[in-house]
Amino acid sequence: MRQRLYSPYQTLAALYGTTEVAGARDNPLILAMLQTDAKWPEHDEVPWCAAAMNFVCKLWNLPRTRTLAARDWLKVGEPVRLADAEPGFDVVVLARGTGVQPGPEVFDAPGHVGFYAGLEGVNVLVLGGNQGNSISIEPYNVNRVLGVRRLA
């Protein structure tokens, strides 16, 4: 594993626990993430995992999607096998929803995106936004992984 002094992963990790505000009020940091590249939703109670990634990648001057579609991250960076993924600059894109979901060739479908945080049994650990309405590390079954991308 490469040694990195600081990374986009650590930037997002520093925001761990940032949470949506229920009701009419909104978290200003999440709103800033949602408005990183465009005038996107004006409330924090929308899917914002891709917005969190775009926000951090803009700070690092890294490639980003400039969209709120999680699956668009399959077009950014270079592909990496899950077995070779490392925390830091590697992004995990997951299928989202119940039942059979389309594969990685379908971009107009539900998805989720975050930074690779490790493997734990049959789960990939993901540091991302909009996980339980906050920035957190959550486990997802590896069967949901659509792809892993290296940004730098």
Side-chain angles (χ1 to χ4, degrees):
M1 182 174 353
R2 291 174 291 183
Q3 189 81 9
R4 299 189 189 215
L5 297 176
Y6 202 64
S7 69
Y9 175 96
Q10 291 167 311
T11 300
L12 189 61
L15 302 175
Y16 192 94
T18 299
T19 303
E20 292 177 14
V21 178
R25 296 183 57 206
D26 297 296
N27 184 314
L29 179 56
I30 296 172
L31 290 180
M33 291 176 183
L34 285 164
Q35 296 174 2
T36 296
D37 291 305
K39 270 290 201 196
W40 288 332
E42 296 179 7
H43 301 288
D44 63 9
E45 294 176 357
V46 298
W48 51 275
C49 61
M53 297 298 291
N54 279 304
F55 179 79
V56 169
C57 288
K58 183 175 184 177
L59 293 175
W60 276 81
N61 198 30
L62 288 169
R64 60 189 193 277
T65 66
R66 295 179 169 94
T67 74
L68 292 180
R71 286 176 179 240
D72 281 353
W73 283 91
L74 291 167
K75 304 173 193 173
V76 177
E78 298 298 322
V80 175
R81 292 179 334 123
L82 181 58
D84 298 327
E86 300 175 15
F89 290 81
D90 291 349
V91 173
V92 178
V93 183
L94 304 154
R96 182 173 53 86
T98 58
V100 177
Q101 295 296 311
E105 68 284 348
V106 177
F107 296 102
D108 189 22
H112 183 66
V113 63
F115 285 112
Y116 174 83
L119 286 173
E120 188 176 81
V122 297
N123 292 318
V124 60
L125 301 176
V126 176
L127 168 66
N130 202 34
Q131 298 183 152
N133 297 328
S134 68
I135 295 174
S136 63
I137 296 176
E138 297 294 330
Y140 296 91
N141 190 286
V142 295
N143 293 334
R144 294 178 58 185
V145 174
L146 297 170
V148 179
R149 309 296 290 192
R150 181 155 296 154
L151 301 181

